[in-house]
Amino acid sequence: MADVIDGTAMRIRIDGVAVLKASNCSISMSRETRTRSHKDVTGGWQSADYGQGSIEANGEALFAEGEGYETLFTAMIDKTKVEVEMSTNVTGSKKTTFDGVITSLEMNAPNAEDTTFSYTIAGDGAPVRATI
């Protein structure tokens, strides 16, 4: 049986570089549903099939000048796509990768607390799951 992966080891990398001082990261995939209903279906039940899929990465990190925020900021301003990878970066483990566009970048600076930032990256095309 495989070991459970400690969340501390799982990182999001943008263009091959880990988002530093990360406190949280996630990848979410979803798929629309195509439903069909017509007069030949009896019993009042719809038919369902898979529609278009999407993938999104979200993360939060402590803000430090010159680190992950700059890469995301520049890509968003320049409208360039980034490569997203979520993995432990350990040889033999699995990774999920996809290209995407930054759709949200938020900085939060509460009084007498650490400054943080959060981001959302929407996928462009299908994700790939592969062994490192």
Side-chain angles (χ1 to χ4, degrees):
M1 182 192 291
D3 291 335
V4 173
I5 297 172
D6 183 332
T8 305
M10 192 66 74
R11 300 291 295 265
I12 286 186
R13 290 169 181 72
I14 307 297
D15 293 334
V17 178
V19 175
L20 299 178
K21 297 178 179 56
S23 56
N24 189 20
C25 62
S26 66
I27 287 182
S28 174
M29 294 188 295
S30 63
R31 198 168 270 289
E32 294 175 9
T33 306
R34 295 174 56 192
T35 59
R36 295 180 190 96
S37 179
H38 51 83
K39 295 177 183 181
D40 297 327
V41 175
T42 58
W45 291 94
Q46 292 180 339
S47 172
D49 204 349
Y50 287 111
Q52 291 184 321
S54 64
I55 187 166
E56 181 177 272
N58 295 286
E60 299 170 7
L62 297 173
F63 178 81
E65 287 290 348
E67 294 185 354
Y69 183 85
E70 303 303 326
T71 300
L72 296 167
F73 180 88
T74 301
M76 188 173 197
I77 295 301
D78 293 346
K79 298 181 185 176
T80 55
K81 292 180 183 170
V82 295
E83 180 187 64
V84 177
E85 174 188 319
M86 187 163 183
S87 73
T88 60
N89 208 29
V90 174
T91 301
S93 65
K94 296 284 189 179
K95 66 179 179 177
T96 301
T97 59
F98 64 93
D99 290 334
V101 295
I102 292 111
T103 58
S104 172
L105 183 59
E106 182 177 328
M107 186 183 296
N108 186 22
N111 185 42
E113 293 185 29
D114 292 332
T115 299
T116 61
F117 70 93
S118 60
Y119 59 90
T120 301
I121 303 170
D124 176 32
V128 175
R129 184 93 169 134
T131 302
I132 296 175

